[in-house]
Amino acid sequence: MPSAPAPATGPAASPAARDESTLFDTKEWLAFALVAAVILVVFPLCLDAFRLNLVGKYLTYAYVALGLVLCWGFGGILSLGQGVFFGLGGYCIAMFLKLEASSAANTKIQSTPGIPDFMDWNQITALPWMWQPFHSLPFALLAVVLVPVLVAFVIGAAMFKRRVGGVYFAIITQAVAAIATILIVGQQGYTGGINGITDLRTLHGWDIRQDGAKEMLYFVNAGLLIGCILLAQFVKRSKFGRILVAMRGKEDRVRFSGYNVANFKIFVFCLAAAFAAVGGAMFTLQVGFMSPSFVGIVPSIEMVIYAAVGGRTSIFGAIWGTLLVNYAKTSLSESFPQLWLFGLGALYIGVVMLFPDGLAGLWNSHAQPTLDRLLGRRPTPAVQGPASGATQPATLPPQTAAE
Amino acid sequence: MLGDYTPDQLLSIFAMQGFAGLILFSVFVLMALGLAIIFGQMGVINMAHGEFMILGAYTTFLTSKLFALYLPALFPIYFFVAMILAFIAAGALGMLVEWALIRHLYRRPLDTLLATWGLSLILQQTYRSVFGAREVGVELPQWTMGAVSLTDTIEVPINGIFVMVLTLLITAAVGLLMYRSGWGRKVRAVVQNRTMAGAVGIDTEKVDRMTFGIGCGIAGVAGSAFTMIGSTGPTSGQLYIVDTFLVVVFGGAQSLLGTIASAFTISQTRSTLEFFTSGSMAQVVTLLGVVIILMLRPQGLFALKVRR
């Protein structure tokens, strides 16, 4: 085993949490139970159908934030093109739904019945070839994951094999986001243009617009999200997760220890893309449309702030960060639209300058010690050894004693 | 599709599109110069670069209004005053930003990217609150109107020529500043080896601040020139930021010559394609081409050969 740098850089990676036999340590169990309880029990009980759908929409962004935690927080690879994968996943399922909604009976007033309405408006008379396979639901479901992963693989392989990383990777992914938006908006006849794919009705005859269906979809969404959290947690606890963190710290050292750094990076980038794509597909199902406004540069970089606010190395923080930022966005931009952009801008600056570990960092440095004191417990980090002392003031007493 | 035109017409088309490409080239070069200094020399990603450009454009807009109101006799030359003011305004803001924000983040380039993105959102909203959401146009002096006819079919607008001359002058000035002046030598020294530069007595913090300020100032001048060929809105800067970053990266981040060459390639390809396909497809094809070339050759066109 190479002497990889101890992954003690983030609060989520305390050394004692490195027992690989279980998926969670005690603290993580509590955090997981809290997330699961809130999104599976508290939200459905406390919110009406409209609000629940809104929260469901927020949670679809949480998939993207979760992917970014793995890719950016653990791996140090900042992708500014996650909106592309979100959009690709969303478009794949939207194409299936649109074809089902544009049956010959529904579209008989068009000059060419049986094709989506926006194609008819753009004088297209036959279904384009890339739409053909989307008549089949299994194909569409597979495409939701496979198409974005394929795109991510091509980008990742091209970049990481040539050891391009850091800001260059960020700029290239941002350019990809720009290209995708321009392409979708420009090819109106094939993609629905700036409006996107709208007026989606049924999934295999099941009307997704009813309240009951929306509630059902909320639970499917929440269940999938919990599945993704478990997967992310598994990755984090595995050897792969440790190599990721080691790569973030000293990439060359990992490479010289005999690991193929590029392959690890490609894998985590593809995984993040797959998460984003599932989120995009769930977005389409719950909200009922998909448009290029979720693909471009601005939404893609906004998704980064969800992960950053939650704490870039915290899997559970990503969920809370997403919910918090989106709740603030909805409530602020309704009443003070001007204030919101100022607030969002300040959030970017603040999260970088003042609290780079986000909510999770604040929790670990402030709330957790207070909680421990109230419960009369010994401060937990003290048992974990001095390595985590740098980030956690709870270990200050032994250190000051040593000085 | 080329067969529909006579050779004469084709020549005119290429000449006119080539000229349109040259104007785009000028805008790219002006924006990319500032970025090349900041990103290429300092390694800082300034996502708010477009907003510094727009600050220059709004400064020009205000100056034109002031001249029209109080100094109508001098209106024909207001543009030169506006350019200087734009440089000072954008440069001063740049130095302020460097002091407040950037200098704390030199070791965290990805975080700089996010912080400057936040700054760009704040600036955009400020512009929207102050100048309104609608685009504003600058009233141009009489002498920049009209066009010069070279042949029966080829016409060149005067404001385009003016912007190009301006670009040439500014590029030459930046080249001189970087490679012939004491300040440029200091900047290059700090870039190559910060510790050694500090050890021989260069105030690296001051050099950083000046470099950032001058990069932003050039963006302001770019915005000023931009008003001659287009109108200005709060989000106009964002439209250009991706293209400009690609120009700088494509050219090889540390080479001014590379920046100019890549701006030329990208703008000419795009404007020529624009005639034969739609505008959006031209942009897609050009950007895609650049991204693919960058994937094959990540160091860009003109890479500086250094040991890392």
Side-chain angles (χ1 to χ4, degrees), chain A residues 308-364:
Chain A
V309 166
R312 62 186 75 173
T313 55
S314 167
I315 287 173
F316 305 106
I319 316 291
W320 299 120
T322 312
L323 288 174
L324 192 72
V325 175
N326 278 293
Y327 175 72
K329 181 178 182 175
T330 311
S331 42
L332 268 182
S333 61
E334 269 169 13
S335 34
F336 316 96
Q338 297 208 335
L339 212 62
W340 166 242
L341 267 185
F342 282 126
L344 187 64
L347 199 58
Y348 276 101
I349 296 175
V351 89
V352 163
M353 306 282 293
L354 303 176
F355 50 110
D357 285 322
L359 290 177
L362 289 181
W363 174 267
N364 280 332

Side-chain angles (χ1 to χ4, degrees), chain A residues 162 164 174 297 301 312 352, chain B residues 47 108 111 117 242 295 298:
Chain A
R162 289 185 175 73
V164 177
Q174 189 170 49
I297 296 171
I301 203 166
R312 62 186 75 173
V352 163
Chain B
M47 293 299 284
R108 293 148 61 192
D111 284 5
W117 177 263
V242 172
M295 284 180 178

Side-chain angles (χ1 to χ4, degrees), chain A residues 246-267:
Chain A
M247 259 168 23
R248 182 189 64 192
K250 274 272 182 286
E251 188 179 324
D252 284 335
R253 209 180 279 184
V254 179
R255 184 178 287 126
F256 297 155
S257 307
Y259 292 102
N260 190 333
V261 169
N263 287 351
F264 287 108
K265 286 188 171 180
I266 295 170
F267 179 79

